[in-house]
Every structure is written in C-alpha cells, then in structure tokens.
Amino acid sequence: MRYDFASDNTAGMAPSALRGLVEANSGFAAGYGADEYSRKAADEIRKLLDVDADIRFMFTGTAANSIALSMLANPFEAVLAHHTAHVCTDETGAPGFFGHGVGLIGLPGYSGKIDDESLCAVLDEPVVGHRQPPAALTLTQATEYGTVYSFEEMDLLIRLAKGQGLGVHVDGARLANAAAAGFDPKSLSRMGVDILSLGGCKAGAHGVEALVVLNKSLSSRLDNRLKQAGQTASKGRLLAAPMGELIASGEWLSGAQHANAMAQKLASGIEDDTPFVLAHPVESNTVFVRMPDEALTALRAKGFAAYAFDDGSVRFVCSWATQAEAVEELIAVLGQLG
C-alpha cells in the first residue's frame, strides 16, 4: 500500500515520542515504574487533566479499558456502553475476562453517542436476580464513529449514571482528537469520571496507554491487579517516557489537530469532488464513507488502505503523520472511481 488510511495505529512514533524513548534509554534506572521518567510522564498527564490522579502505564488500550471496568463492576454486574464501543466490538470479551464475568449491555445512539433516553430506560429497569444489573457506564471520547461528545452531552449522561450510583469510565484512545475538536480534557474530573484510559498509541507514542484513576478511592492494590494481568513493565521508563514527552512537547495535541484537519480536508473533497457520501459527521480524525464493495476493492488495488467498518461504511483515518498530498491523491482516485 502506498498510502495507509486504515487506522491511526499504522503511523510511526511522533518525533517527540521517539526523542523521549531515546533519552530514557540512556544509562540505568529503577524498574517497574519507580523511575524519574515515569514520574515525569505521570505529572504531565496530571497537568493535562488538572487533577491529582493515580497513573499507571500499560501496553494496550484493551487491557486499560478492561482493567478499569473490572475496578467499577463486580463479576455479577454489568457495564453500560454504546453498542459500537470498542469494549463491545473489538476486545474479544476482555472486560468479562479481566472482570471474571462482568457483563456488557449495549445501548443505541446515533454515530457512536449514547442516547440519553435509552440510558434512562435501562437505569429505570428493576434489579432482579436473573440478570446482571448495571454498575458502571463507559463513554468513548472521541467515539468509534469519530463524533465528539460536547461537555453538555457527556455531563448529562454522567449525571444520570451517577444518580443511580454507577461508576463512570471514559475510553480516551482518541481523547487527543476530541481535545483538538474543542473538548476540554480538564472537564472530565469536574464531571465526576472515575477512571480514564488515556490514549498514547493513536496520538503518536508507541504501544502505550495510561490508566488514570481519578477517583483515588479505587486505587487500593492497583499494582497487584496490574501485575497479575501482566501489565507491569519491568523497564517502565521505556513505556512511559515517550508518552510523557509527547504531552510535554505539545505534540499530543498539535498532532491531533493536524489529523483532524486532514480528515476535514478529506471529507470536503469527498463531498465536492466524488460521487460518494459521508456516513457520519466528521468531527475528529475519522471519515466514514458510503461506497460499494467494488469501489473499495478498486481503491485498494490502487494502493490505498482503508477499513470496511461494522455499519457497512468504509473508514478512513488520518493521523499526525498524514500528508496533505496523500489526501489530495485519495480524493482524486475516489473521484475517478465514480
């Protein structure tokens, strides 16, 4: 493939993240996260979110999400999520595995956002002994369809959940892109979010995500939980330093701003210069297009990677590394396919 629009995971490390890795690789340092680089990276996240939180660095978003949910729900309980959320569609039952049986209840809503009326309907159901009652709500920001919850939208859902005693988790794999679209990460603590999975990989770091425990009452024996799950890095500095430098340099946000801008450029080109239509609003770094299978096959044959998504649309993802020339060539090829 000449150009890869299949995922923001396919881009390499941003310059600042790579610099952080090289810097941390020099000399010797304490293991298992008890080092200066891990401490500095955690402090950068605390500044980003304006919160005093317990922070650990993990290898994957799946593990971060699943362990977070296991901290909010018992094995006989369930977690409410949008039915297209990553935990429901792409984690092979990991929340139930790490939660020793924790269930998932999928909720509807346009373009990846949970509908507040559907949330109310589930919260109003009586608790009975024959099914798992909801104990937590997980929200994805930005959503799987690239839309971005406003403060008001997210705050309403969280207030409804908290009003029924539920814990709240946010999957922030693309929180940088939501921030680049105008969402304030500092508002998460004000809204009462308990745990955040903060994305590093999609934002330009290597394989690292941060588990951010905003509600520190949940932190008891956190390190034991992570060790049992195989998520404690012996050379923790090499996991944390790239993410810390990515945030400290400003590239966590500027890279997402670039990715969002490339997505807007692509969306405008598709609307103006191709016969295809957009399937969802373009609010972050992903563009979903309605196109037949034959067109996707032809596009791939011309060297463009894209992803056939669950709703039948084709997903194009832009990253910090996406070049304007690649977007322009993609638009031109899509125009020819029509």
Side-chain angles (χ1 to χ4, degrees):
M1 292 295 178
R2 290 186 298 138
Y3 298 114
D4 198 314
F5 287 89
S7 174
D8 36 8
N9 288 330
T10 60
M13 295 174 67
S16 60
L18 185 57
R19 183 171 63 246
L21 179 62
V22 172
E23 207 173 281
N25 191 55
S26 177
F28 298 85
Y32 303 103
D35 61 275
E36 182 180 356
Y37 296 98
S38 297
R39 180 185 60 77
K40 287 182 177 179
D43 285 342
E44 290 297 334
I45 292 173
R46 293 185 183 101
K47 286 192 291 184
L48 176 71
L49 302 175
D50 191 25
V51 67
D52 179 22
D54 287 327
I55 297 167
R56 301 293 187 274
F57 297 94
M58 305 175 66
F59 297 107
T60 71
T62 292
N65 287 339
S66 301
I67 290 172
L69 297 182
S70 77
M71 296 166 67
L72 296 175
N74 290 306
F76 52 85
E77 296 174 320
V79 175
L80 302 175
H82 192 277
H83 67 87
T84 65
H86 203 267
V87 293
C88 292
T89 63
D90 291 280
E91 297 186 354
T92 322
F97 176 78
F98 282 95
H100 302 284
V102 166
L104 294 169
I105 299 173
L107 300 177
Y110 290 111
S111 298
K113 293 183 180 181
I114 292 176
D115 176 72
D116 60 282
E117 292 185 0
S118 71
L119 175 61
C120 287
V122 172
L123 293 175
D124 287 342
E125 291 181 1
V127 174
V128 297
H130 301 286
R131 58 178 179 263
Q132 291 171 296
L137 170 70
T138 179
L139 301 169
T140 307
Q141 180 74 320
T143 73
E144 296 298 327
Y145 286 112
T147 52
V148 177
Y149 284 104
S150 68
F151 173 88
E152 292 75 18
E153 290 171 331
M154 184 172 280
D155 184 58
L156 173 60
L157 296 174
I158 291 174
R159 283 191 287 109
L160 291 170
K162 289 284 185 176
Q164 295 293 325
L166 274 65
V168 176
H169 164 257
V170 169
D171 179 350
R174 294 189 176 98
L175 186 63
N177 300 100
F183 180 80
D184 183 4
K186 294 181 174 64
S187 67
L188 294 174
S189 60
R190 297 198 298 270
M191 286 188 278
V193 173
D194 294 293
I195 308 179
L196 165 69
S197 304
L198 180 63
C201 180
K202 290 177 171 62
H206 57 347
V208 60
E209 312 293 310
L211 183 69
V212 184
V213 185
L214 294 93
N215 179 358
K216 295 175 74 171
S217 69
L218 299 169
S219 297
S220 176
R221 298 177 179 172
L222 175 59
D223 291 319
N224 305 84
R225 186 186 294 265
L226 296 181
K227 183 69 174 181
Q228 185 186 61
Q231 291 294 319
T232 303
S234 55
K235 295 184 179 181
R237 58 178 168 155
L238 302 183
L239 197 62
M243 189 169 183
E245 187 59 29
L246 184 70
I247 295 172
S249 69
E251 285 189 347
W252 184 83
L253 181 59
S254 65
Q257 290 170 332
H258 172 79
N260 288 11
M262 292 298 98
Q264 288 295 333
K265 181 181 179 68
L266 176 57
S268 296
I270 289 170
E271 288 186 309
D272 295 342
D273 300 319
T274 81
F276 306 114
V277 297
L278 302 178
H280 299 281
V282 180
E283 297 176 355
S284 58
N285 67 318
T286 53
V287 180
F288 292 82
V289 183
R290 296 291 180 199
M291 56 192 300
D293 293 341
E294 297 79 11
L296 176 57
T297 299
L299 181 67
R300 287 171 171 166
K302 291 181 178 292
F304 290 86
Y307 185 74
F309 212 69
D310 299 345
D311 68 336
S313 66
V314 177
R315 185 186 73 175
F316 298 87
V317 187
C318 298
S319 73
W320 70 269
T322 300
Q323 297 180 342
E325 294 78 10
V327 173
E328 291 163 3
E329 189 169 342
L330 174 57
I331 294 168
V333 170
L334 288 171
Q336 294 167 6
L337 293 179

